[in-house]
């Protein structure tokens, strides 16, 4: 039997009741915002790399001694594939010093997007919106994506030469 003090402690206060099985926690899950921010960081990474490389590495036709000169028509990418891609602008110093920090922000936001997407897939599977096999496929591709996007940091460690 409860005494008066214990009864007051167990009695719910007005406006808040005990949590019942009928209680529902509702929230909106929008992973696409993280994807937008991640891609924005990626574009900024490449843009900053382009600016830094053009200022410090393509300004003259000779090596200055401090930074290696980059010839856009005579480099490993151009010689191997016949054209350049945006990696040309983040492959050399000093661009690597700057862009690696921005790239880490890209990776962080993209992994957050992937994990929120996985949570969304999980909720869809639990509510019967997608099948278990579809959820398992989504889970496998999210794990693969996380491995691949975290490996992206390797572009700052290895030079194409």
């Amino acid at each position: 039997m409860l005494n008066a003090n214990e009864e007051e402690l167990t009695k719910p206060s007005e406006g808040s009741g005990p949590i019942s099985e009928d209680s529902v926690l509702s929230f909106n899950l929008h992973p696409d915002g993280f994807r937008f921010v991640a891609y924005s960081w990626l574009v900024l990474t490449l843009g900053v790399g382009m600016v830094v490389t053009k200022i410090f590495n393509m300004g003259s036709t000779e090596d200055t001694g401090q930074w290696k000169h980059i010839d856009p028509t005579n480099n490993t990418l151009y010689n191997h594939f016949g054209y350049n891609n945006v990696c040309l602008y983040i492959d050399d110093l000093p661009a690597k010093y700057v862009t690696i920090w921005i790239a880490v922000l890209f990776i962080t936001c993209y992994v957050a997007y992937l994990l929120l997407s996985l949570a969304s897939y999980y909720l869809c599977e639990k509510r019967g919106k997608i099948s278990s096999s579809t959820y398992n496929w989504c889970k496998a591709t999210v794990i693969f994506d996380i491995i691949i996007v975290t490996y992206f940091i390797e572009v700052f460690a290895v030079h194409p030469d």
Side-chain angles (χ1 to χ4, degrees):
M1 186 153 200
L2 295 173
N3 65 32
N5 292 337
E6 289 175 334
E7 191 173 314
E8 280 183 21
L9 292 175
T10 58
K11 182 179 173 186
S13 62
E14 288 187 30
S16 69
I19 297 175
S20 70
E21 291 180 21
D22 296 332
S23 296
V24 175
L25 175 61
S26 169
F27 60 92
N28 293 325
L29 189 61
H30 299 288
D32 290 329
F34 280 91
R35 182 173 56 178
F36 174 78
V37 172
Y39 287 155
S40 297
W41 284 120
L42 180 61
V43 168
L44 186 64
T45 299
L46 298 172
V48 167
M50 184 178 288
V51 168
V52 170
T53 297
K54 284 188 175 199
I55 290 172
F56 292 102
N57 298 90
M58 292 183 175
S60 67
T61 57
E62 298 179 9
D63 289 343
T64 61
Q66 188 174 13
W67 311 115
K68 179 180 143 191
H69 170 73
I70 297 173
D71 183 355
T73 58
N74 185 20
N75 58 63
T76 304
L77 287 169
Y78 191 84
N79 295 339
H80 186 74
F81 296 107
Y83 61 91
N84 286 314
N85 64 24
V86 294
C87 294
L88 174 73
Y89 299 109
I90 59 172
D91 280 339
D92 287 293
L93 298 176
K96 280 188 179 189
Y97 290 146
V98 179
T99 56
I100 191 170
W101 295 97
I102 307 168
V104 168
L105 295 171
F106 156 69
I107 292 168
T108 303
C109 290
Y110 196 75
V111 168
Y113 157 70
L114 291 171
L115 293 174
L116 287 172
S117 293
L118 184 60
S120 177
Y121 303 146
Y122 174 78
L123 293 173
C124 286
E125 192 256 343
K126 289 299 176 193
R127 297 184 78 195
K129 303 257 183 201
I130 62 173
S131 67
S132 292
S133 60
T134 301
Y135 169 68
N136 288 332
W137 174 253
C138 290
K139 184 168 46 172
T141 57
V142 164
I143 291 168
F144 179 73
D145 274 354
I146 290 172
I147 291 167
I148 295 301
V149 78
T150 53
Y151 187 71
F152 171 72
I153 202 76
E154 188 69 19
V155 302
F156 298 99
V158 177
H159 195 275
D161 285 334

